[in-house]
Amino acid sequence: MMAVNGIRSRLLLLLCFISTAAGNMFAFTEEPSERVGKGDGYCSRILRAQSNKKEGNNDFRLRVEGDPETYHPGSTYRVTVMASSPSYFRGFTLIALREGTEGDNDSDYIGNFQIIDEEETQFMTNCPPAVTESTPRRRTSIQVFWTAPPSGSGCLSIKASIVQKRIINFQDEGSLTKRMCEKESLYGDVTEKPLLNCCACGTAKYRVTFFGNWSEKSHPKDYPRRANHWSALIGASHSKDYVLWEYGGFSSDGVKQVAELGSPVKMEEEIRQKGDEVLTVIKMKAQWPAWQPFNVRAAPSAEFSVDRSRHLMSFLTMLGPSPDWNVGLSAEDLCTKECGWVQRVVQDMIPWDAGTDSGVSYESPNKPIDSKDKIRPLTSLDHPQSPFYDPEGGAITPVARVIVDRIARKGEQCNVVPDNVDDIVADIAQEEKEEDDTPETCIYSNWSPWSACSSATCEKGKRMRQRMLKAQLDLSVPCPHTQDFEPCMGPGCSDEESATCLLSEWVTWSPCSLSCGMGTRSRERFVKQVPEDGSGCSLPTEEAENCVVNEECSPSSCLVTEWGEWDICSATCGLGMRRRERMVKTPPADGSICGAEVLEVEKCMMPECHTIPCMLTPWSDWSDCSVTCGKGARTRQRTLKSPVELGECTEDLEQVEKCMLPECPIDCVMSEWTEWSECNKSCGKGHTIRTRMLNMEPQFGGDACAETIQRKKCKIRKCTRGQVNSDEKKRRKEQREKRRSKQGKAEVSTEHPGCKMRPWSTWTDCTKMCGGGIQERLMTVKQRFKTAQLSSCKDRKEIRACNVHPC
């Protein structure tokens, strides 16, 4: 008896589903709502409905953007159900289930669908987790967004069923089912985002490095060669109560300014107004152009700190030029479940749309929208004119990679387990040699006074002194040390001058930034007592130096060539620099940046210079901009006052910078004149006209538009005195007859020799609202008799001027 009832319920629900998807194809009696509710397994029975199941039917396909085998928790994907030509479908159902479940419980449904087009799709009334059609009609595809579930959700299946000609097609293992599993984290067990209660102790210091990969080679379509750049990067380490930006949210004024103009000013102002919600403001300079090899320009980086209450990090930078496209991280959690701090985060990034401009290409004109759209990631199916467009809907190639490395931990840590060997490596300081090993056979002059410090601030600099070699008693023994260098700081920064500023001892050096080869490390000290006069401490509180870990790196991780020859010394006399390079043969297999150094620089000494410092005049005033409108350049100069015989001066004598004046005027652009029309008289004096169209209105004070219609006299032949040409007579007669006819008559027969004409059409709309436009109307042949001549029986057209008043 139970089996019979089960079969009856399944058949009734199948009829209900077909009717919902296919409209009024056939009538049925709906069961009471309590028998088809979600609690009664309605969703699961829809999925198990397999009437006329077609195994291996490839006419229909469910596709997740990029065809991924795995999903990133919390990421959004475009899901498409499509039919191959000439197939079509009238209705459909789309649902996502945990692997191994049937949809009997609420917890079986996973992720969240989002409607893109409400005229096409809607959530199913009796099965809210499912998406179905809004109206049953012929269609070849539908699209919705689907947001993946949080971390720890495991594998799942997105399933579709379609209705075509009253037949339900459903496939468990075919092209209408997509199985995906959660992508494993590459960076260890990181807490789910956002971690509402961080249990870590102390603080941690991080370095974030931004690697732009947006180049003509990686993104060739419509790549802007002239103005490509990354804007200044702006971000912060902050608490869970502050959101800089997030997918599905709306752009603040600061985000809008970064997204459209590349300016971080407003964003930084918003961040600093959050007070205790923010621990560190993160800033990096703009990069022009967007991409350069690492041996030409190092990747920009910045340091920031986090603590228990402010353990999230967010940033953004504009992809320029673009309408409002950016990349960045949003609320990246650096606190772990084990009450520690994440060691490293590596994230490839695709651009996202700030929702403030409707442009579709890199250099689209400014098209602000009336109301902001939500922030969303760009996809390869957004618009055919998009530089990321892919008709197959593939994944967008990342345009940047960001690496966040922990470089120090401060304060007492509640997680005492070290993350790696670098955390417990002792700092071994090298003792400086104090003894003078100058050979006795070398006779020198006294040392010159120390030069001024190369740093005018309290940052570390160098100063130099020199001495001359007077005699060399043994030519076989070289005589070194004609120059001496020592560290220094600017005026007012020495220990003696800052005695009232008490500092702590230096803390232990941070781990090396690279696990293989030469990297950098840093250390800090803290102000214990400020000067009594209330002034700030000018002594440095941070230091950084190079470090080497595992100098002979494994060849399998990163292969480099042998060092090349040293370049020629940069100086022709005195102290200079020289460099040598080597190339990366094989980068690391995991896609990370090669840690081996590819550039070495060292000092070189040439024979002593016998010159004095360059004597230069002050800079002149900046010249006028090289253009009268638009973008140009301006220059300033200075001259050399030192006599030429004292030696060559390498200082710049001219500087150039960009300048911007108001936009250049754009003149009115007109089309070519049309041919002259036929004369409006068949004999005697008449006139003929010609016209042209307005292609572009003048802008920014450009030349105004000229006339759009011209008229000139015409005379075909003299009319016979007392008798008007027969054609002209007939034309006038037709006009009189037409004026006598009632207005609104549908059709009037107008006689022409050998043919019958339809009445004149109504005048067309004027081509311009002001400044002189034209209108046209037509009279067409209704019936041509056998005796008709081509010259007297043909369609006719009249043109007249309109809206001649000035604009």
Side-chain angles (χ1 to χ4, degrees):
M1 183 65 180
M2 291 178 65
V4 173
N5 288 336
I7 292 172
R8 177 177 177 273
S9 298
R10 187 170 295 186
L11 288 173
L12 285 172
L13 287 166
L14 181 59
L15 288 174
C16 178
F17 170 69
I18 294 175
S19 177
T20 301
N24 298 323
M25 295 181 184
F26 51 91
F28 69 98
T29 302
E30 185 177 1
E31 292 211 1
S33 59
E34 64 269 11
R35 299 187 62 181
V36 294
K38 186 177 67 174
D40 197 32
Y42 179 78
C43 293
S44 64
R45 282 197 289 273
I46 288 177
L47 289 175
R48 291 196 293 268
Q50 300 181 35
S51 174
N52 295 310
K53 179 179 175 182
K54 296 182 180 181
E55 294 293 349
N57 181 2
N58 293 319
D59 291 344
F60 308 100
R61 181 187 177 197
L62 181 146
R63 188 170 189 272
V64 178
E65 178 181 358
D67 290 327
E69 299 296 329
T70 58
Y71 65 87
H72 288 279
S75 295
T76 299
Y77 300 86
R78 189 184 295 261
V79 179
T80 305
V81 179
M82 62 185 72
S84 59
S85 180
S87 299
Y88 64 89
F89 56 95
R90 295 184 178 276
F92 72 94
T93 303
L94 197 58
I95 202 162
L97 291 176
R98 296 182 187 275
E99 191 168 60
T101 64
E102 295 294 332
D104 296 320
N105 302 309
D106 290 345
S107 60
D108 293 350
Y109 308 103
I110 194 165
N112 295 293
F113 287 106
Q114 301 170 44
I115 301 300
I116 297 178
D117 187 348
E118 294 183 353
E119 294 183 359
E120 288 285 332
T121 55
Q122 65 178 4
F123 291 104
M124 186 174 286
T125 304
N126 293 324
C127 180
V131 177
T132 187
E133 75 285 348
S134 294
T135 55
R137 63 175 182 81
R138 285 193 179 194
R139 50 174 56 84
T140 57
S141 68
I142 62 96
Q143 292 183 349
V144 295
F145 283 132
W146 175 76
T147 301
S151 177
S153 300
C155 297
L156 56 90
S157 292
I158 301 177
K159 300 184 176 185
S161 58
I162 65 101
V163 176
Q164 181 201 36
K165 298 179 181 178
R166 303 187 184 183
I167 299 175
I168 296 178
N169 292 270
F170 179 81
Q171 295 171 310
D172 274 323
E173 302 297 337
S175 58
L176 288 176
T177 293
K178 177 68 175 180
R179 181 179 181 270
M180 301 166 63
C181 292
E182 181 179 350
K183 186 176 181 64
E184 295 183 1
S185 174
L186 299 175
Y187 326 114
D189 188 13
V190 182
T191 315
E192 294 179 10
K193 297 191 297 185
L195 180 65
L196 299 182
N197 296 304
C198 176
C199 59
C201 302
T203 63
K205 187 173 183 179
Y206 286 88
R207 178 181 293 109
V208 53
T209 307
F210 183 84
F211 299 92
N213 190 37
W214 178 51
S215 66
E216 190 171 12
K217 183 177 180 180
S218 60
H219 295 79
K221 183 181 178 185
D222 299 335
Y223 187 76
R225 295 185 179 182
R226 293 186 179 180
N228 60 85
H229 69 281
W230 293 103
S231 75
L233 183 147
I234 183 69
S237 57
H238 57 92
S239 71
K240 62 181 176 62
D241 296 322
Y242 176 42
V243 178
L244 271 76
W245 71 272
E246 63 178 346
Y247 290 131
F250 292 97
S251 295
S252 66
D253 291 340
V255 173
K256 182 179 187 296
Q257 194 176 82
V258 174
E260 295 186 7
L261 306 177
S263 171
V265 176
K266 184 66 176 179
M267 187 79 251
E268 183 176 355
E269 181 183 328
E270 291 178 354
I271 292 173
R272 295 191 184 279
Q273 288 176 350
K274 290 299 177 180
D276 293 340
E277 302 297 332
V278 173
L279 183 59
T280 308
V281 179
I282 302 170
K283 296 193 289 184
M284 296 183 202
K285 292 183 179 179
Q287 301 179 66
W288 294 78
W291 183 88
Q292 281 186 357
F294 293 132
N295 60 356
V296 176
R297 181 182 69 196
S301 63
E303 296 181 0
F304 65 95
S305 299
V306 291
D307 59 17
R308 176 179 291 190
S309 61
R310 294 159 293 191
H311 51 93
L312 305 178
M313 186 272 269
S314 303
F315 77 86
L316 70 157
T317 175
M318 172 198 179
L319 188 77
S322 70
D324 57 347
W325 300 343
N326 304 256
V327 299
L329 292 180
S330 174
E332 185 69 29
D333 203 334
L334 300 174
C335 186
T336 67
K337 291 180 179 178
E338 291 75 25
C339 301
W341 300 108
V342 174
Q343 176 66 33
R344 178 173 241 226
V345 175
V346 180
Q347 184 68 50
D348 290 320
M349 291 180 287
I350 63 171
W352 47 268
D353 190 316
T356 61
D357 191 290
S358 58
V360 296
S361 63
Y362 289 130
E363 299 181 278
S364 292
N366 187 33
K367 295 181 179 178
I369 52 182
D370 295 335
S371 58
K372 294 179 181 178
D373 291 333
K374 292 182 178 179
I375 297 175
R376 64 172 185 84
L378 295 180
T379 75
S380 59
L381 295 173
D382 285 336
H383 195 283
Q385 294 180 3
S386 166
F388 307 105
Y389 180 71
D390 179 2
E392 297 296 324
I396 293 178
T397 302
V399 295
R401 167 177 287 186
V402 66
I403 298 179
V404 183
D405 285 308
R406 195 186 72 220
I407 56 177
R409 290 186 294 191
K410 305 175 190 175
E412 184 176 351
Q413 302 290 317
C414 44
N415 179 3
V416 296
V417 180
D419 294 296
N420 55 33
V421 178
D422 290 340
D423 285 342
I424 57 175
V425 172
D427 176 34
I428 303 176
Q430 297 183 352
E431 296 182 359
E432 297 182 357
K433 294 183 178 180
E434 296 294 338
E435 65 274 8
D436 187 359
D437 55 356
T438 303
E440 295 180 358
T441 59
C442 301
I443 308 299
Y444 293 97
S445 67
N446 291 329
W447 287 104
S448 68
W450 286 104
S451 67
C453 189
S454 63
S455 172
T457 66
C458 291
E459 298 291 331
K460 273 192 173 182
K462 287 185 179 181
R463 63 178 181 172
M464 180 185 72
R465 63 179 181 175
Q466 294 179 318
R467 62 182 177 180
M468 296 182 64
L469 178 63
K470 291 184 175 181
Q472 188 173 0
L473 304 180
D474 186 351
L475 297 178
S476 64
V477 179
C479 292
H481 305 311
T482 58
Q483 290 184 326
D484 190 17
F485 297 87
E486 74 172 13
C488 62
M489 291 179 289
C493 299
S494 65
D495 292 338
E496 294 79 13
E497 294 171 323
S498 305
T500 55
C501 180
L502 298 181
L503 299 175
S504 67
E505 296 296 325
W506 290 103
V507 299
T508 306
W509 287 102
S510 67
C512 197
S513 61
L514 296 176
S515 59
C516 179
M518 180 175 288
T520 57
R521 63 178 184 171
S522 62
R523 65 177 183 175
E524 297 184 34
R525 59 181 177 179
F526 305 96
V527 177
K528 298 171 64 177
Q529 176 181 316
V530 297
E532 295 178 356
D533 60 1
S535 60
C537 288
S538 57
L539 294 174
T541 58
E542 294 186 6
E543 279 188 345
E545 67 174 16
N546 293 335
C547 55
V548 177
V549 179
N550 188 14
E551 188 169 6
E552 297 181 358
C553 299
S554 170
S556 62
S557 61
C558 181
L559 293 179
V560 294
T561 62
E562 294 296 326
W563 285 107
E565 295 294 330
W566 286 104
D567 290 343
I568 299 174
C569 190
S570 61
T572 57
C573 63
L575 181 65
M577 305 295 289
R578 65 176 185 172
R579 52 184 277 172
R580 64 176 181 174
E581 298 180 356
R582 59 181 175 179
M583 305 297 292
V584 177
K585 294 168 60 178
T586 305
D590 61 0
S592 61
I593 303 301
C594 182
E597 290 290 330
V598 295
L599 175 67
E600 272 191 348
V601 181
E602 71 172 14
K603 300 172 187 174
C604 53
M605 187 68 193
M606 302 298 287
E608 289 192 31
C609 300
H610 298 285
T611 62
I612 62 174
C614 296
M615 298 177 63
L616 300 167
T617 63
W619 285 107
S620 67
D621 293 334
W622 286 105
S623 67
D624 293 335
C625 198
S626 61
V627 296
T628 57
C629 60
K631 295 180 180 178
R634 62 177 186 171
T635 61
R636 65 176 182 176
Q637 295 84 24
R638 58 182 177 181
T639 58
L640 178 65
K641 297 196 296 184
S642 304
V644 177
E645 56 269 15
L646 293 180
E648 181 182 357
C649 181
T650 58
E651 296 289 339
D652 291 335
L653 299 180
E654 184 177 48
Q655 287 184 342
V656 181
E657 73 173 9
K658 297 176 182 178
C659 54
M660 183 70 185
L661 293 177
E663 296 285 351
C664 296
I666 299 176
D667 297 335
C668 176
V669 179
M670 311 287 289
S671 68
E672 295 295 327
W673 287 104
T674 63
E675 296 295 330
W676 287 101
S677 67
E678 294 181 1
C679 194
N680 68 332
K681 298 288 183 68
S682 58
C683 70
K685 295 180 180 180
H687 68 266
T688 178
I689 64 172
R690 64 175 182 176
T691 61
R692 58 180 175 179
M693 304 296 291
L694 175 63
N695 290 341
M696 181 184 293
E697 295 279 0
Q699 299 181 44
F700 310 116
D703 291 342
C705 297
E707 58 186 355
T708 58
I709 184 168
Q710 286 184 348
R711 181 192 305 262
K712 70 178 181 179
K713 297 178 180 179
C714 57
K715 184 175 182 180
I716 297 180
R717 65 177 180 274
K718 201 180 261 188
C719 295
T720 305
R721 180 175 296 177
Q723 182 180 2
V724 183
N725 180 278
S726 59
D727 289 342
E728 180 70 13
K729 236 172 152 181
K730 291 178 180 179
R731 186 178 68 81
R732 292 179 180 176
K733 182 179 179 182
E734 290 168 1
Q735 290 180 344
R736 287 196 298 271
E737 290 176 352
K738 186 176 179 180
R739 285 196 294 269
R740 295 192 193 101
S741 63
K742 292 182 179 179
Q743 293 183 352
K745 190 173 181 182
E747 187 176 291
V748 177
S749 296
T750 306
E751 296 298 330
H752 271 249
C755 62
K756 183 178 290 185
M757 306 294 290
R758 287 189 173 86
W760 284 103
S761 65
T762 57
W763 289 102
T764 61
D765 293 336
C766 193
T767 57
K768 292 181 63 177
M769 298 299 294
C770 60
I774 59 171
Q775 291 176 294
E776 295 181 354
R777 67 174 184 173
L778 297 174
M779 176 185 288
T780 58
V781 175
K782 179 179 180 181
Q783 182 178 1
R784 181 180 286 110
F785 305 116
K786 292 182 180 181
T787 59
Q789 297 180 359
L790 292 178
S791 61
S792 61
C793 189
K794 58 183 180 181
D795 294 345
R796 302 193 63 190
K797 179 170 72 173
E798 281 190 356
I799 301 175
R800 72 179 182 185
C802 57
N803 293 339
V804 294
H805 58 278
C807 295

